[in-house]
Amino acid sequence: MKKSFDPIVVANTLWVTAHGISSLLIDGQVPAENAFQKFPALLKKQKGAVSPDIRQIFEAISQIIFTGLLND
């Protein structure tokens, strides 16, 4: 069964995430040099997978955001 996503919800989620991480980077709450270390590997499809593991990508983004918020 194919999942259907509301494009407005997806667009807003991506915008909020990008804005939040950008704000944390600009304010120096997240060190830019290592904020996205895991992403090249996370964005690649794993052998036999249909697409990248969205859960792992979300966890990596969450870690960046929570690290920045804790450094406030």
Side-chain angles (χ1 to χ4, degrees), residues 35-51:
F36 297 99
Q37 285 178 340
K38 298 178 184 177
F39 275 82
L42 290 175
L43 294 175
K44 290 181 182 177
K45 287 190 236 179
Q46 301 302 316
K47 188 175 182 179
V50 176
S51 64

Side-chain angles (χ1 to χ4, degrees), residues 25 29-39 63-64 67:
L25 289 166
Q29 292 175 255
V30 172
E33 59 273 4
N34 63 8
F36 297 99
Q37 285 178 340
K38 298 178 184 177
F39 275 82
Q63 183 178 12
I64 293 168
T67 298

Side-chain angles (χ1 to χ4, degrees), residues 5-7 9 11-12 17-18 22 24 27-28 30 32 34 36-38 42 46 51 53 57 61-62 67 70-72:
F5 297 98
D6 182 341
V9 171
N12 284 332
T17 302
S22 298
L24 292 169
D27 291 344
V30 172
N34 63 8
F36 297 99
Q37 285 178 340
K38 298 178 184 177
L42 290 175
Q46 301 302 316
S51 64
D53 188 338
I57 293 169
I61 290 170
S62 298
T67 298
L70 291 172
N71 289 330
D72 187 18

